[in-house]
Amino acid sequence: MGALLALTSALCYGIVDFAGGLLSRRVPHAAVTFLGQLGGLLLAAGAALLLPADALAGSDLLWGALSGVGSATAMRFLNRGLSHGAMSVVVPVSAVTGVALSVLCGVLLLGDRPGALAWAGIAVTGPALWWVSGGGTRTGREATDGLLASAGVSVQYVALGQADPTSGLWPVVAGRVAAVLVLLPGAARRPGLLRLPVRPCAQALLIGAGAALGLVLYLLAVQRQMLAVAVVLASLYPALPVVLGLAVLHEHVSRRQAAGLLGAALATVLLTVG
């Protein structure tokens, strides 16, 4: 069940990245990021009210808030990179490095002990994610955006995984509040960014709600699965934008991307069985 929840989280994030990348090319990426966190807060609060917590400690909210700081950082730099059309650099760098940092934290600091098959799946995931996104070769600002986003991804996943299962979904709510507060000063300095037509404004809110749903599913997954494995499965999201690009935008998939998709499928099987 934990593996299925993590994979569904990856599905949500894949759709969100694809939609957010397209929207960030039409409207300011800072507006997409800030409005997205507001949309995520609305969804998370509604879900938390529907699924009340058994018990809630202050430490759970603090872990959730730290996760939200990571989310704000990840989405800010991911959307900035995607607004330049540099998906082939930003996505693989953020995903692969974020996975590596999260797995290291799980193994070295949290006592995770993946089995042999799970380790094989983790080993396959890195090159698979890189290939599926085209194995970008450009460097500079795009690579920097990807690295900064990866740090945020790692903090987001590791911190949220520390919340007690009895806390329900309130750590996700705390994270969305923290993310909004982190991004608020930048939005306040440039109020013109948020004066968007109704349609892109609604799209940004919906994208953020999708990202929050992905986090909710990840939180439920990590309560049933060791963090190292849940993070890797949830981080397979770069495969979906490639598939959507093929189906929706009629993009060409290279041999390297096809190999990456096969590697991602193999990693999924190994991690689920292991």
Side-chain angles (χ1 to χ4, degrees):
M1 186 62 178
L4 179 60
L5 288 167
L7 287 171
T8 309
S9 173
L11 179 66
C12 288
Y13 267 109
I15 295 172
V16 163
D17 277 357
F18 182 76
L22 293 180
L23 185 60
S24 293
R25 296 175 188 179
R26 295 189 287 109
V27 300
H29 63 85
V32 176
T33 303
F34 182 74
L35 290 172
Q37 296 305 322
L38 288 177
L41 175 57
L42 292 174
L43 182 135
L49 291 172
L50 290 174
L51 300 172
D54 295 328
L56 182 62
S59 58
D60 298 321
L61 296 178
L62 289 175
W63 281 119
L66 179 58
S67 174
V69 173
S71 297
T73 302
M75 295 310 298
R76 175 187 176 188
F77 291 106
L78 186 64
N79 284 335
R80 188 175 79 172
L82 292 175
S83 70
H84 303 147
M87 187 174 293
S88 64
V89 177
V90 179
V91 171
V93 170
S94 64
V96 174
T97 311
V99 166
L101 291 173
S102 299
V103 170
L104 285 175
C105 286
V107 173
L108 298 179
L109 302 179
L110 305 177
D112 284 350
R113 294 295 179 266
L117 289 178
W119 271 120
I122 291 170
V124 170
T125 299
L129 290 177
W130 185 257
W131 291 336
V132 82
S133 298
T137 57
R138 291 189 296 173
T139 58
R141 182 174 179 179
E142 293 88 353
T144 301
D145 285 340
L147 287 172
L148 291 171
S150 73
V153 168
S154 181
V155 171
Q156 168 187 268
Y157 280 148
V158 173
L160 191 59
Q162 305 315 300
D164 194 284
T166 61
S167 61
L169 301 181
W170 289 107
V172 180
V173 178
R176 298 317 92 212
V177 171
V180 169
L181 292 177
V182 167
L183 296 170
L184 183 59
R189 287 195 300 269
R190 304 169 66 187
L193 288 177
L194 301 181
R195 294 170 187 165
L196 301 177
V198 174
R199 184 172 180 177
C201 182
Q203 288 173 335
L205 290 169
L206 187 60
I207 287 169
L213 177 59
L215 270 183
V216 167
L217 292 168
Y218 166 77
L219 177 60
L220 296 175
V222 82
Q223 292 171 356
R224 297 163 172 81
Q225 179 80 59
M226 72 177 70
L227 184 140
V229 174
V231 165
V232 174
L233 287 172
S235 297
L236 291 172
Y237 62 87
L240 189 58
V242 174
V243 174
L244 289 174
L246 176 65
V248 179
L249 303 179
H250 306 292
E251 295 179 348
H252 173 71
V253 175
S254 67
R255 292 182 179 179
R256 180 175 292 183
Q257 287 176 308
L261 288 171
L262 290 174
L266 176 60
T268 300
V269 173
L270 291 172
L271 288 163
T272 303
V273 174

